[in-house]
Amino acid sequence: MDLTGKIIAVLPASSGVSQRTGNSWMSQDYVIEVPGQFPRKCVFRVFGEDRIKQFNIQMGEDVTVSFDIDAHEFNGRWFNDVRAYNVVRGAAPVAAAAGAAPVASPFPPQPAADPQGATAPFPPTQEPAAEGSTDDLPF
C-alpha cells in the first residue's frame, strides 16, 4: 500500500537488544498527513538502523511511503504494525498536488457509460409489437 503526503512528525528512535537472538535493533516512527478535503494522518514505522539512515526522513518533506500492514497479539490484545519498506521523495502525484488524495478503491473499475445507454443498468424499453402480431409477450 502507498500513501503520499507530508511528514508532520518525526518521533524519537527506539532501540534495544533482542532477547531471542541477542542482536541489537532500532526503529523510528513517523506521522504522514495525506492532503484532501479531510486530511488523514497515519503513523508508520521504519525498522532497522540501516533503513532509517537510508531513508533519512525529515520533518516537512513530501514523500510517498510504501508500507505493509500487519497485526500481532500481545497479552490478549491486538496491535497494528504499519511498517515502511520504501520511501520516495519528491513532488506528489498530480491528483494529490491538486488537493485530492490518491486513494486506492477496493472496488473493481467500472466501464464508462455509453452515450447510447448500452451500459444502462436496466434493459432498454422495446417498442410495442405491431397490431396482429402473434407475439403477445410484453418483452
Side-chain angles (χ1 to χ4, degrees):
M1 181 176 260
D2 293 342
L3 280 180
T4 299
K6 180 179 274 194
I7 300 297
I8 62 168
V10 177
L11 304 175
S14 301
S15 61
V17 177
S18 171
Q19 291 178 349
R20 189 175 48 149
T21 64
N23 296 333
S24 62
W25 57 269
M26 179 181 268
S27 70
Q28 190 163 9
D29 291 343
Y30 304 87
V31 180
I32 186 170
E33 183 176 55
V34 179
Q37 183 179 2
F38 303 104
R40 300 290 182 166
K41 298 169 187 71
C42 179
V43 176
F44 66 92
R45 174 172 291 147
V46 175
F47 190 83
E49 186 175 4
D50 56 334
R51 286 188 182 227
I52 293 170
K53 289 178 181 178
Q54 174 190 356
F55 297 152
N56 192 25
I57 300 170
Q58 302 297 315
M59 176 79 104
E61 282 187 307
D62 287 325
V63 295
T64 298
V65 179
S66 301
F67 57 88
D68 289 324
I69 301 174
D70 195 15
H72 63 276
E73 184 266 337
F74 179 73
N75 289 339
R77 294 190 61 195
W78 285 88
F79 301 90
N80 287 323
D81 188 21
V82 180
R83 194 174 287 191
Y85 61 86
N86 193 21
V87 175
V88 178
R89 284 180 176 69
V94 175
V103 177
S105 173
F107 305 105
Q110 299 295 319
D114 186 20
Q116 279 75 30
T119 60
F122 298 103
T125 57
Q126 303 219 350
E127 297 299 321
E131 287 280 331
S133 172
T134 59
D135 185 10
D136 61 349
L137 296 175
F139 51 90

